[in-house]
Amino acid sequence: MNRLLINGGKALHGKIRISGSKNAVLPILAATLLTTDEVTVYNIPHLHDVTTLVSLLGEMGARVTVDERMSITVDSSTLVTFKAPYELVKTMRASILVLGPLVAHFGQANVSLPGGCAIGSRPVDMHIRGLEQLGARINVENGYICATADRLKGACIVMDTTTVTGTENLMMAACLAEGTTTLENAAREPEVLDLAKCLIGMGADIKGAGTDTITIEGTERLSGTEYRVLPDRIEAGTFLVAAAITGGRIRLKGICPEMIDAVIAKLREAGADITCGQDWVELDMEGRRPMAVDIKTSPYPGFPTDMQAQFTALNAVAEGASTISEAVFENRFMHVPEMNRMGAVIRLEGNTAFIRGVRRLVGAPVMATDLRASASLVLAGLVADGETGVDRIYHIDRGYECIEEKLAQLGADIRRISP
Ligand code: UD1
């Protein structure tokens, strides 16, 4: 199994370009199932999760063409089955995103229940209930969500919990429903807005995406389009923390700074000088140790749960004590015992981490348990004395494009070891 070996202690300096957003590209690729015309998506990041979704579309019979300029063209007119098998869904929960498009366009879907995962039970009840409100008939049999429908009918859906992929699934399905659908308590994440923009390019009538109320006027048919996905705000945030934690100075190119306002605010509170342009961000923490910052995660525009683990690493070496409360997911502190093995002083109580910053961490073999936890262990390794070996890095490859190459470009001593 591949591992990353990091020799800590190097401050990061230089410039890198941020890749396309994982959480935007996955729903957009799923949306290609809403039309039998070709859809071409640009700025595709080279990630395992993208490969998984492409395999899923391919297994269902879609014709998928991958171009070396990192664009993907999908033609769903050749679909032969409507099944997302357990083997693929268990490796990527976001496979659930094909449920809405399949049932709305083809009137049937057979999608494995994602089940539990490392960061909690993560149910999909809101996806199912919402589709039922749109008129789909749904049974859960043998671990599969079996959905059938004639044409879906618009409805007013109030979601109990703000769910990102739930909002996306229902928004996609509603595009082909008869009449008007209103999604209340919708997720406001930039990736929801990006998906809406792509759907509008396909001919959908969507208003309010990016707010908590989205209104969709259904149409009988969507057409093909070309769409460029937005940059990955979590990758950007992770690299900014990498520079802050090592006392470095970096510039990120190809990023929308306003999408990471909450992260930038916390980094400024930690003592970083940050300058933003239209599509770049520069962070300067040269020679300084970060100050501890309290964090509470919440849906967008609040502080993202996907940046919680990285800030746990920052606080672990910061000056002072801090509290991190995880309010979106249960059980999202799997990185904490590993960081403590590197010398961090973190105590967990339920969904809160109490951290006392230490001057230095010590390199150790550590194990990644989920995507963002893995990234946080790499960050910890960048400041630790000596060598840190991060195992199970397939988690990182799910969501970070060439992380070791980009970090090495910024001066980190990091390399990938294959057995
Ligand atoms: C998406 C992101 C993930 C991010 C998360 C929260 C993608 C592909 N993934 O995941 O990176 O960490 O948003 O920002 O975009 N819930 C229910 N019932 C449901 C659905 C969700 O109770 O039917 C709960 C979940 O257990 C969780 C909360 O709602 O506690 C938010 O989860 P959700 O927004 O759905 O996360 P994902 O869409 O899976």
Side-chain angles (χ1 to χ4, degrees):
M1 217 178 279
N2 287 354
R3 30 191 339 240
L4 287 176
L5 278 188
I6 306 152
N7 270 296
K10 298 251 186 338
L12 300 191
H13 285 102
K15 294 180 191 165
I16 50 159
R17 175 161 293 281
I18 293 304
S19 303
S21 161
K22 169 180 91 71
N23 287 355
V25 80
L26 296 175
I28 286 171
L29 286 175
T32 62
L33 293 168
L34 289 165
T35 174
T36 39
D37 293 347
E38 278 188 1
V39 177
T40 299
V41 187
Y42 298 101
N43 200 26
I44 301 265
H46 188 70
L47 301 172
H48 259 205
D49 275 6
V50 172
T51 312
T52 304
L53 196 55
V54 164
S55 308
L56 177 54
L57 295 173
E59 275 196 20
M60 289 193 288
R63 237 186 338 208
V64 185
T65 319
V66 181
D67 176 283
E68 76 270 8
R69 288 173 301 131
M70 279 325 275
S71 70
I72 289 182
T73 301
V74 184
D75 170 1
S76 296
S77 64
T78 49
L79 230 63
V80 284
T81 66
F82 310 97
K83 181 169 177 172
Y86 176 67
E87 290 63 38
L88 281 175
V89 179
K90 76 173 180 199
T91 65
M92 187 185 71
R93 291 179 44 82
S95 313
I96 189 77
L97 284 164
V98 299
L99 178 63
L102 283 177
V103 74
H105 188 189
F106 300 99
Q108 51 181 312
N110 201 3
V111 178
S112 170
L113 274 172
C117 70
I119 59 174
S121 61
R122 296 180 81 172
V124 287
D125 53 318
M126 232 85 74
H127 302 238
I128 294 177
R129 215 180 314 149
L131 288 171
E132 282 176 338
Q133 282 178 262
L134 291 173
R137 296 172 292 277
I138 300 186
N139 290 312
V140 177
E141 289 162 11
N142 306 111
Y144 276 79
I145 306 166
C146 306
T148 53
D150 307 320
R151 187 163 179 212
L152 296 176
K153 287 214 164 46
C156 177
I157 301 171
V158 183
M159 281 177 277
D160 294 345
T161 311
T162 312
T163 154
V164 177
T165 48
T167 301
E168 291 165 346
N169 236 334
L170 299 180
M171 183 167 74
M172 288 189 280
C175 288
L176 289 181
E178 187 187 336
T180 312
T181 297
T182 313
L183 301 178
E184 287 184 13
N185 196 22
R188 289 181 282 169
E189 267 66 4
E191 294 77 15
V192 174
L193 178 58
D194 209 41
L195 169 64
K197 286 181 181 167
C198 177
L199 291 167
I200 290 167
M202 293 165 71
D205 180 348
I206 302 173
K207 299 208 169 57
T211 75
D212 61 6
T213 305
I214 304 178
T215 308
I216 305 121
E217 287 298 333
T219 169
E220 261 178 52
R221 183 178 183 283
L222 292 177
S223 53
T225 192
E226 295 191 0
Y227 193 75
R228 183 180 172 81
V229 291
L230 88 173
D232 197 306
R233 64 193 166 101
I234 305 301
E235 186 198 23
T238 304
F239 277 96
L240 290 179
V241 174
I245 206 171
T246 58
R249 179 183 179 140
I250 64 166
R251 182 185 275 238
L252 305 181
K253 296 179 287 180
I255 164 77
C256 315
E258 64 278 7
M259 287 189 326
I260 50 169
D261 276 348
V263 170
I264 288 178
K266 284 292 164 189
L267 286 167
R268 284 193 170 127
E269 204 181 313
D273 289 329
I274 297 181
T275 320
C276 301
Q278 210 190 339
D279 64 349
W280 56 267
V281 180
E282 191 169 294
L283 177 141
D284 183 355
M285 191 73 161
E286 217 145 11
R288 281 169 287 142
R289 181 182 176 195
M291 286 174 291
V293 287
D294 291 333
I295 303 275
K296 181 171 182 185
T297 64
S298 61
Y300 192 84
F303 187 91
T305 172
D306 284 350
M307 285 300 300
Q308 179 260 103
Q310 299 88 319
F311 271 75
T312 307
L314 180 108
N315 279 342
V317 294
E319 194 177 330
S322 57
T323 304
I324 296 194
S325 306
E326 173 54 63
V328 177
F329 289 116
E330 50 181 297
N331 200 18
R332 205 176 191 179
F333 280 118
M334 310 287 272
H335 43 288
V336 166
E338 297 299 288
M339 281 183 200
N340 283 346
R341 291 179 54 245
M342 298 174 73
V345 182
I346 309 174
R347 184 170 54 82
L348 279 180
E349 248 177 58
N351 273 341
T352 306
F354 297 91
I355 306 170
R356 186 164 57 76
V358 294
R359 280 207 163 270
R360 290 223 81 69
L361 297 176
V362 184
V366 287
M367 187 107 83
T369 45
D370 72 60
L371 170 55
R372 307 304 168 186
S374 325
S376 73
L377 295 174
V378 170
L379 297 182
L382 292 176
V383 272
D385 287 339
E387 188 177 88
T388 298
V390 184
D391 269 325
R392 296 202 183 165
I393 54 164
Y394 52 83
H395 290 293
I396 292 208
D397 294 332
R398 284 189 39 215
Y400 288 91
E401 184 171 53
C402 312
I403 191 166
E404 74 275 21
E405 283 171 31
K406 287 186 176 180
L407 285 170
Q409 198 183 323
L410 295 170
D413 181 347
I414 179 169
R415 62 190 198 283
R416 183 179 289 250
I417 306 288
S418 316

